Amino acid sequence: MSRAIQVRVSESLTRTVHVEDGVVAPLELLPILPPARMAALLAHELAARGFRRDGRRCTRTEPDGLEVTLDLEAATVAVALGAHVQLDEAVELSAAVAVESDDQARAALRDRAHEVLGDRLAARTFALQRAVTARLEAKVAALKRELDAAIGRATVAALTEKAAELGRIEETHLDEAGNLTIRVRL
Amino acid sequence: MAEPARVAASEADLIALARALVAGPPADVRALLRRTRALPPMISTAAARLIGDALAQVWPALWRGSATGTGRPAAPRARFWQDHAPVGLTFSVATLQLLRWVLAGRAREPERDGGAAEALASEMPLTLGDQVMVYLALDATAGMAVQAQLAAQPLVRSAALAWLGFADRLGGPTGCEFDPLCRGAGAIVVEVLAPALARRWRAAELDKRGIAAPEALIALGAAQDSVLGGFMTACDRSGRRDLAGFVIDAAAPLVDRAIAPLPLALDPSATLASRSAARRAAGALLRGVATWAAWDRAHRGVRFIDDDYPTAQRLLARFEAISPAGAARAEAWLTELAALPTVPAGTVDAS
């Protein structure tokens, strides 16, 4: 008569996971002046907002890891956010089996434990990805407002320069709605 | 009086399928596909002749089909045999393969024989007649499970005409050459099918607003972009920009009613990268309109003394359905689709 024994298997898994999300979009910059000058005016506005210019690119890395890169020549903005975390998971499984099938039972439990660990890590990775995406969405909404403001100011500067090419600027008025009036004596 | 031809029952079904695809209605095709049957490897000469008789009716069937559906053609058109010299359509063995595959039903029930589905492939390039039959088969099986299986077959995916009409069903970028559809009998087929193409592309445009999976929309956009890009380039190369007129007819009512192809139901749990790519992909037809707008600007520069002035005038009139104002609206939608996504306040958990 075979004897029943309790088989217990403990497995743990540590995995370093990197998730990221990002988006690239065109910048809506009006071609009022030559592209190089428009890029310079926008770069000036961006510098006031913490961007660093490196050739054709302006970049800013925020404390939470959000990376914003504007390509002034291609007129695009790229926003990316990533997260790098170490995930630890442990599981303990047990089963009552006949003593002669001890080895097979342990192997089966170990396989099952690996499956459980894999599923849990996949679920945590997915949750982490969703969290990164949600944070990025919130950041993108704020960034869009900030970039719209910077582009608006660069556009005003470009219009002012253009007006100065036409004659002597006598008066400039920007109302609350963002409408710009420039009076020029030719 | 000659005796009626005698054919086997399975051959009679093949002949009936050929007639149903060519002359319709789709209900006849559905009735034929309700059951599966074993088909012998060869058909008799009498059956081949009767199938040939059915295929000889393709031209008038195309004309009738183009005028049915949601309504008559937008503008009165001359019958195509009044505009073009008679030109024959040739069919190869691929058409017979197609009929047999659709009728056999083995692909629809791969588990029946305990084996994998039989692939429908052709080693020879398809003739224009074969392509028309592939188009008609996809059209007749609309709404049936067999259409998706048919759309996955190599023979179907090698038919440029199938891509032009069913890019939304085939999915993924096409590798087909569209130049043969811009000259000779190919151009006449496209001309005849233009109203149907417009209806189908407009329906796909409306459907994409309800697509939830970003990957599905990206695949659809890739298919539509590659088809429209390839076809419009081929039209331009062949001096037949008018053949791309179905793009105008498909988009004009949507632009007019301000129905933008904005995907409203994208899965919010998908990454922002995939949702942004899906939004950009949704603008495929609008990019076709943008190409037309660029052509329109060029047509406006053609002077009275230039050789292609009459053609430019015809194409200017053709683009009036959208007009520069409509093109500007389409351009604004494209910008909106490509812009940084905005999220309504309170919908994002940024913790």
Side-chain angles (χ1 to χ4, degrees), chain B residues 140 169 204 214 321 337:
Chain B
R169 294 288 177 266
L337 287 170

Side-chain angles (χ1 to χ4, degrees), chain B residues 155-247:
Chain B
L155 184 146
V156 171
R157 301 180 73 80
S158 66
L161 192 61
W163 282 96
L164 201 56
F166 299 91
D168 56 321
R169 294 288 177 266
L170 270 62
T174 177
C176 289
E177 290 290 327
F178 289 94
D179 293 84
L181 295 182
C182 299
R183 56 176 182 256
I188 302 173
V189 168
V190 173
E191 218 174 288
V192 171
L193 289 176
L197 293 177
R199 283 196 298 272
R200 204 160 280 130
W201 277 79
R202 191 182 316 129
E205 206 64 6
L206 292 170
D207 286 349
K208 70 175 59 162
R209 290 161 62 90
I211 294 177
E215 300 75 25
L217 195 48
I218 291 167
L220 171 58
Q224 290 188 324
D225 269 326
S226 67
V227 169
L228 279 188
F231 181 66
M232 293 181 86
T233 303
C235 288
D236 196 22
R237 215 167 18 227
S238 307
R240 289 299 309 270
R241 290 176 172 177
D242 58 300
L243 293 175
F246 71 87
V247 172

